[in-house]
Amino acid sequence: MARASSRGGVRRKPEAEVGLDEQKSDIRPVQRGNLASDRGRALTQYLMEQVCAPSNLNRAYKRVKANKGSAGVDGMTVRELGDWLGTHKDVLIASLLDGSYRPQSVRGVQIPKPGGKGMRQLGIPTVVDRVVQQAILQVLNPLFDPTFSDSSFGFRPKRGAHTALKQASRYVAEGHVIVVDMDLAKFFDRVNHDILMARLAKRIGDKRLLCIIRRFLQAGLMQNGVCVRRQEGTPQGGPLSPLLANLLLDDLDKELERRGHKFCRYADDCNIYVRSQVAGERLSS
């Protein structure tokens, strides 16, 4: 429910040589479609070649290693990841390119939400799956992020809590001193897979990539020794989850913009700024 309130010993290869050696990508020409949307999708028919580019995979590996984090269901640690990639890189790349790659289940972890608002469900992928997700994210982010709202700040390049606070301060300085706090409860747990995949398919023509993303969405969640298959939701914990959430929530952003609202959204938390208590209560109802 929205509410209104007032506010005034083993030598290892260097990272750059993790075994993801430079290889020639099999990038084929694409045909022009008759419509603008067809042309856009045609340009994205071979995104997996970009995902599997050695430079992209190396950058993904370094990012996962820098983020550290705990092991997934297979127990492999970030420290062990480099040696694994050095040995299995060819099989990994081949499975991504032919669309046969299958992610493992995620390890379920629950952590308290800030302010005592209950528990947040996390899903920790294996370190290998985190590399794959990060590599996909690095290719998709430049395609999707420029289309997102300027009032969206969560998990986006060069944006964050500080930039959200600056924009909120400007709204208040302009006289929008009443805040309607929208908390989209359980949003990550209720993401509809079919709707999300339909949004992705409008912009992505590479069916291999779409298939692998759906497998990530449907990967089982292992918790307390029980693996549960997921029919909806995208648990937080993997590199790709925030982008997918922003893609769905962009509809909310665009609707708020259409109505002329001043707002700041950070992931599934959204504050709308209005000038009067009456306006805030009307928006809350």
Side-chain angles (χ1 to χ4, degrees), residues 52-189:
C52 294
S55 59
N56 188 57
L57 288 174
N58 269 317
R59 187 157 62 99
Y61 163 73
K62 292 178 182 179
R63 183 62 182 267
V64 169
K65 184 177 180 181
N67 288 343
K68 299 180 180 180
S70 58
V73 295
D74 62 354
M76 185 188 299
T77 65
V78 173
R79 185 184 296 271
E80 300 168 314
L81 177 59
D83 288 335
W84 188 95
L85 288 173
T87 303
H88 299 89
K89 68 177 186 303
D90 292 334
V91 174
L92 174 64
I93 291 174
S95 67
L96 290 171
L97 289 175
D98 66 19
S100 64
Y101 182 83
R102 292 189 175 276
Q104 298 191 57
S105 300
V106 298
R107 182 169 62 85
V109 177
Q110 290 192 339
I111 62 173
K113 289 184 178 181
K117 296 181 179 179
M119 304 297 289
R120 187 183 301 277
Q121 178 72 60
L122 300 183
I124 310 301
T126 66
V127 290
V128 175
D129 285 340
R130 297 210 291 269
V131 170
V132 174
Q133 286 195 30
Q134 181 65 36
I136 293 173
L137 174 67
Q138 290 166 182
V139 171
L140 294 187
N141 233 355
L143 296 177
F144 286 100
D145 189 80
T147 69
F148 292 156
S149 169
D150 288 338
S151 295
S152 169
F153 296 92
F155 309 106
R156 297 184 59 193
K158 299 181 181 180
R159 289 171 172 264
H162 292 294
T163 48
L165 182 60
K166 288 181 180 179
Q167 180 155 311
S169 298
R170 286 196 294 269
Y171 291 153
V172 172
E174 294 169 358
H176 300 85
V177 296
I178 302 299
V179 182
V180 178
D181 182 13
M182 298 178 63
D183 184 6
L184 307 176
K186 300 289 185 181
F187 169 79
F188 286 94
D189 299 334

Side-chain angles (χ1 to χ4, degrees), residues 34-56:
N34 294 324
L35 302 175
S37 59
D38 293 333
R39 289 197 296 269
R41 293 183 75 255
L43 294 173
T44 60
Q45 284 184 347
Y46 302 104
L47 289 180
M48 284 307 301
E49 279 70 21
Q50 297 181 37
V51 171
C52 294
S55 59
N56 188 57

